[in-house]
Amino acid sequence: MAEYTNNNRGGAPGGNDRGGNNRGGNDRRGNDRGGRGNDNSVQGESDLKEKVVAINRVAKVVKGGRRFSFSAIVVVGDGKGNVGYGLGKANEVTDAIAKGIDDAKKNVVKVPLYKHTVPHIMEGRYGGGFVLVQPAAAGTGVIAGGAMRAVFESAGIKDVLAKSKGSSNPHNVVKATFAALAKMRDPLQIAQARGISLARVFNG
């Protein structure tokens, strides 16, 4: 029975080799993924700082009583235009945050910045969330709510005017903010594509 159990777990000797190779393959794939992550994080993973936007306690009613778990939405960014968000769920708060950070690092996007603010006005929607983001003069600061503020600060946006006009659910607000930032266009790329100066892009 012991041999049969071991064979079930590891397979036949050849199966063990294959299992080992598969695991090794996963390790190699993991290293490749890690390599890509390191390429993004060369600028980097050590520079990515996380901000916990919200932690929610979820209760599941079972026969023996209530079983509690936690979900956390986390935003990471390097302050240079790279920012991402992630959701983590676990039975412990620290595990939920750690999972959220890992998920956020996989979803990092590049946001175009212009003089520490956003280049133009943009709206973003996600579910019931609806946000308005517009550039601000130097020294204005981040005029935004808690969930939106975490995204802007992580992205390195220092001056911005933003307003949430829809749902106050932090998940919807964060995703709507990312939807607005994802639609932003880089003024330098627009100037090069049109063959005009950067000043003319803004002044017409």
Side-chain angles (χ1 to χ4, degrees), residues 105-165:
K105 288 180 179 180
K106 297 176 184 177
N107 301 315
V108 174
V109 296
K110 180 69 175 178
V111 177
L113 302 180
Y114 180 71
K115 295 182 179 179
H116 301 294
T117 186
V118 293
H120 54 84
I121 299 175
M122 185 54 67
E123 295 178 348
R125 293 178 182 271
Y126 185 89
F130 173 52
V131 300
L132 173 66
V133 182
Q134 60 184 12
T140 302
V142 178
I143 309 300
M148 299 174 71
R149 177 182 293 273
V151 177
F152 295 139
E153 291 179 349
S154 297
I157 300 173
K158 298 181 180 179
D159 303 298
V160 67
L161 298 172
K163 178 68 177 176
S164 176
K165 297 183 176 182

Side-chain angles (χ1 to χ4, degrees), residues 151-198:
V151 177
F152 295 139
E153 291 179 349
S154 297
I157 300 173
K158 298 181 180 179
D159 303 298
V160 67
L161 298 172
K163 178 68 177 176
S164 176
K165 297 183 176 182
S167 170
S168 60
N169 186 321
H171 295 263
N172 286 339
V173 173
V174 168
K175 293 174 183 178
T177 305
F178 269 86
L181 295 178
K183 293 187 289 185
M184 293 284 181
R185 301 181 64 188
D186 190 347
L188 293 175
Q189 293 181 357
I190 295 175
Q192 293 175 358
R194 296 181 182 176
I196 58 178
S197 64
L198 188 60

Side-chain angles (χ1 to χ4, degrees), residues 6-161:
N6 289 337
N7 287 336
N8 281 342
R9 290 179 181 174
N16 285 335
D17 293 338
R18 287 195 298 272
N21 290 335
N22 286 338
R23 289 173 184 169
N26 288 336
D27 289 341
R28 287 194 293 273
R29 286 195 296 271
N31 290 336
D32 291 339
R33 290 172 185 167
R36 287 195 294 273
N38 290 334
D39 291 340
N40 293 335
S41 63
V42 168
Q43 44 194 359
E45 186 153 326
S46 59
D47 295 336
L48 289 176
K49 298 180 180 179
E50 60 271 2
K51 291 180 181 290
V52 179
V53 177
I55 298 176
N56 188 32
R57 188 180 71 174
V58 181
K60 180 181 179 181
V61 179
V62 295
K63 187 175 181 180
R66 292 183 179 178
R67 184 173 298 169
F68 293 101
S69 61
F70 299 89
S71 65
I73 183 167
V74 184
V75 175
V76 300
D78 61 357
K80 300 176 183 178
N82 296 306
V83 64
Y85 74 92
L87 177 64
K89 298 180 181 180
N91 293 329
E92 298 293 337
V93 176
T94 53
D95 295 338
I97 294 174
K99 288 183 179 180
I101 293 172
D102 293 338
D103 188 32
K105 288 180 179 180
K106 297 176 184 177
N107 301 315
V108 174
V109 296
K110 180 69 175 178
V111 177
L113 302 180
Y114 180 71
K115 295 182 179 179
H116 301 294
T117 186
V118 293
H120 54 84
I121 299 175
M122 185 54 67
E123 295 178 348
R125 293 178 182 271
Y126 185 89
F130 173 52
V131 300
L132 173 66
V133 182
Q134 60 184 12
T140 302
V142 178
I143 309 300
M148 299 174 71
R149 177 182 293 273
V151 177
F152 295 139
E153 291 179 349
S154 297
I157 300 173
K158 298 181 180 179
D159 303 298
V160 67
L161 298 172

